[in-house]
mmCIF file of all heavy atoms in Angstrom:
data_model
loop_
_atom_site.group_PDB
_atom_site.id
_atom_site.type_symbol
_atom_site.label_atom_id
_atom_site.label_comp_id
_atom_site.label_asym_id
_atom_site.label_seq_id
_atom_site.Cartn_x
_atom_site.Cartn_y
_atom_site.Cartn_z
ATOM 1 N N LEU A 226 -117.422 -19.451 171.162
ATOM 2 C CA LEU A 226 -117.497 -18.067 170.665
ATOM 3 C C LEU A 226 -116.960 -17.090 171.711
ATOM 4 O O LEU A 226 -116.180 -16.188 171.412
ATOM 5 C CB LEU A 226 -118.952 -17.727 170.320
ATOM 6 C CG LEU A 226 -119.173 -16.326 169.760
ATOM 7 C CD1 LEU A 226 -118.478 -16.181 168.406
ATOM 8 C CD2 LEU A 226 -120.665 -16.034 169.593
ATOM 9 N N GLU A 227 -117.372 -17.286 172.967
ATOM 10 C CA GLU A 227 -116.929 -16.373 174.021
ATOM 11 C C GLU A 227 -115.447 -16.579 174.335
ATOM 12 O O GLU A 227 -114.721 -15.628 174.587
ATOM 13 C CB GLU A 227 -117.778 -16.573 175.273
ATOM 14 C CG GLU A 227 -119.204 -16.077 175.104
ATOM 15 C CD GLU A 227 -120.134 -16.595 176.179
ATOM 16 O OE1 GLU A 227 -120.339 -17.822 176.248
ATOM 17 O OE2 GLU A 227 -120.634 -15.779 176.957
ATOM 18 N N ARG A 228 -114.990 -17.840 174.308
ATOM 19 C CA ARG A 228 -113.575 -18.103 174.561
ATOM 20 C C ARG A 228 -112.693 -17.454 173.508
ATOM 21 O O ARG A 228 -111.641 -16.917 173.797
ATOM 22 C CB ARG A 228 -113.312 -19.603 174.543
ATOM 23 C CG ARG A 228 -113.647 -20.236 175.847
ATOM 24 C CD ARG A 228 -113.120 -21.637 175.880
ATOM 25 N NE ARG A 228 -113.734 -22.325 176.996
ATOM 26 C CZ ARG A 228 -113.778 -23.634 177.107
ATOM 27 N NH1 ARG A 228 -113.263 -24.400 176.169
ATOM 28 N NH2 ARG A 228 -114.339 -24.181 178.157
ATOM 29 N N THR A 229 -113.168 -17.537 172.272
ATOM 30 C CA THR A 229 -112.405 -16.918 171.195
ATOM 31 C C THR A 229 -112.286 -15.417 171.437
ATOM 32 O O THR A 229 -111.250 -14.812 171.185
ATOM 33 C CB THR A 229 -113.094 -17.201 169.852
ATOM 34 O OG1 THR A 229 -113.278 -18.602 169.743
ATOM 35 C CG2 THR A 229 -112.259 -16.730 168.689
ATOM 36 N N GLN A 230 -113.366 -14.831 171.965
ATOM 37 C CA GLN A 230 -113.287 -13.392 172.245
ATOM 38 C C GLN A 230 -112.317 -13.089 173.379
ATOM 39 O O GLN A 230 -111.657 -12.052 173.373
ATOM 40 C CB GLN A 230 -114.681 -12.856 172.585
ATOM 41 C CG GLN A 230 -115.573 -12.803 171.379
ATOM 42 C CD GLN A 230 -116.945 -12.291 171.732
ATOM 43 O OE1 GLN A 230 -117.150 -11.089 171.860
ATOM 44 N NE2 GLN A 230 -117.875 -13.198 171.950
ATOM 45 N N VAL A 231 -112.239 -13.985 174.379
ATOM 46 C CA VAL A 231 -111.246 -13.787 175.435
ATOM 47 C C VAL A 231 -109.852 -13.700 174.810
ATOM 48 O O VAL A 231 -109.067 -12.810 175.113
ATOM 49 C CB VAL A 231 -111.303 -14.915 176.478
ATOM 50 C CG1 VAL A 231 -110.140 -14.822 177.452
ATOM 51 C CG2 VAL A 231 -112.617 -14.893 177.241
ATOM 52 N N LEU A 232 -109.580 -14.614 173.867
ATOM 53 C CA LEU A 232 -108.279 -14.591 173.188
ATOM 54 C C LEU A 232 -108.083 -13.310 172.396
ATOM 55 O O LEU A 232 -107.010 -12.723 172.407
ATOM 56 C CB LEU A 232 -108.182 -15.787 172.223
ATOM 57 C CG LEU A 232 -107.971 -17.133 172.863
ATOM 58 C CD1 LEU A 232 -108.080 -18.207 171.815
ATOM 59 C CD2 LEU A 232 -106.603 -17.193 173.527
ATOM 60 N N GLU A 233 -109.146 -12.893 171.718
ATOM 61 C CA GLU A 233 -109.047 -11.659 170.937
ATOM 62 C C GLU A 233 -108.693 -10.482 171.825
ATOM 63 O O GLU A 233 -107.881 -9.639 171.470
ATOM 64 C CB GLU A 233 -110.396 -11.358 170.293
ATOM 65 C CG GLU A 233 -110.701 -12.130 169.048
ATOM 66 C CD GLU A 233 -111.901 -11.505 168.361
ATOM 67 O OE1 GLU A 233 -112.999 -11.585 168.936
ATOM 68 O OE2 GLU A 233 -111.720 -10.924 167.285
ATOM 69 N N TYR A 234 -109.345 -10.404 173.003
ATOM 70 C CA TYR A 234 -109.075 -9.287 173.911
ATOM 71 C C TYR A 234 -107.647 -9.353 174.423
ATOM 72 O O TYR A 234 -106.968 -8.355 174.534
ATOM 73 C CB TYR A 234 -110.081 -9.277 175.073
ATOM 74 C CG TYR A 234 -111.381 -8.590 174.717
ATOM 75 C CD1 TYR A 234 -112.295 -9.190 173.867
ATOM 76 C CD2 TYR A 234 -111.680 -7.319 175.214
ATOM 77 C CE1 TYR A 234 -113.486 -8.564 173.526
ATOM 78 C CE2 TYR A 234 -112.868 -6.688 174.865
ATOM 79 C CZ TYR A 234 -113.772 -7.310 174.040
ATOM 80 O OH TYR A 234 -114.933 -6.684 173.696
ATOM 81 N N MET A 235 -107.172 -10.570 174.748
ATOM 82 C CA MET A 235 -105.794 -10.714 175.206
ATOM 83 C C MET A 235 -104.823 -10.279 174.114
ATOM 84 O O MET A 235 -103.844 -9.598 174.382
ATOM 85 C CB MET A 235 -105.498 -12.162 175.576
ATOM 86 C CG MET A 235 -106.062 -12.572 176.918
ATOM 87 S SD MET A 235 -105.602 -14.286 177.217
ATOM 88 C CE MET A 235 -106.520 -14.588 178.707
ATOM 89 N N ARG A 236 -105.119 -10.693 172.870
ATOM 90 C CA ARG A 236 -104.251 -10.296 171.758
ATOM 91 C C ARG A 236 -104.260 -8.784 171.603
ATOM 92 O O ARG A 236 -103.229 -8.147 171.465
ATOM 93 C CB ARG A 236 -104.740 -10.923 170.456
ATOM 94 C CG ARG A 236 -104.336 -12.341 170.247
ATOM 95 C CD ARG A 236 -104.447 -12.709 168.773
ATOM 96 N NE ARG A 236 -105.729 -12.346 168.178
ATOM 97 C CZ ARG A 236 -106.686 -13.220 167.881
ATOM 98 N NH1 ARG A 236 -106.529 -14.497 168.146
ATOM 99 N NH2 ARG A 236 -107.797 -12.814 167.311
ATOM 100 N N ALA A 237 -105.466 -8.214 171.642
ATOM 101 C CA ALA A 237 -105.575 -6.784 171.388
ATOM 102 C C ALA A 237 -104.897 -5.984 172.477
ATOM 103 O O ALA A 237 -104.226 -4.990 172.203
ATOM 104 C CB ALA A 237 -107.049 -6.387 171.298
ATOM 105 N N PHE A 238 -105.040 -6.396 173.738
ATOM 106 C CA PHE A 238 -104.521 -5.585 174.842
ATOM 107 C C PHE A 238 -103.102 -5.979 175.216
ATOM 108 O O PHE A 238 -102.209 -5.135 175.183
ATOM 109 C CB PHE A 238 -105.453 -5.663 176.055
ATOM 110 C CG PHE A 238 -106.710 -4.887 175.847
ATOM 111 C CD1 PHE A 238 -107.860 -5.511 175.422
ATOM 112 C CD2 PHE A 238 -106.734 -3.525 176.052
ATOM 113 C CE1 PHE A 238 -109.021 -4.782 175.192
ATOM 114 C CE2 PHE A 238 -107.881 -2.786 175.841
ATOM 115 C CZ PHE A 238 -109.035 -3.424 175.405
ATOM 116 N N LEU A 239 -102.900 -7.254 175.555
ATOM 117 C CA LEU A 239 -101.594 -7.637 176.089
ATOM 118 C C LEU A 239 -100.525 -7.637 175.016
ATOM 119 O O LEU A 239 -99.349 -7.440 175.300
ATOM 120 C CB LEU A 239 -101.680 -9.016 176.746
ATOM 121 C CG LEU A 239 -102.633 -9.072 177.921
ATOM 122 C CD1 LEU A 239 -102.669 -10.466 178.502
ATOM 123 C CD2 LEU A 239 -102.238 -8.070 178.977
ATOM 124 N N VAL A 240 -100.907 -7.857 173.747
ATOM 125 C CA VAL A 240 -99.905 -7.809 172.692
ATOM 126 C C VAL A 240 -100.014 -6.505 171.917
ATOM 127 O O VAL A 240 -99.095 -5.703 171.883
ATOM 128 C CB VAL A 240 -100.050 -9.025 171.748
ATOM 129 C CG1 VAL A 240 -99.095 -8.898 170.588
ATOM 130 C CG2 VAL A 240 -99.784 -10.298 172.503
#
Side-chain angles (χ1 to χ4, degrees):
Chain A
L226 181 65
E227 290 165 296
R228 277 191 194 162
T229 306
Q230 289 179 80
V231 171
L232 286 173
E233 280 193 292
Y234 276 73
M235 283 181 186
R236 280 199 310 254
F238 286 97
L239 298 180
V240 175

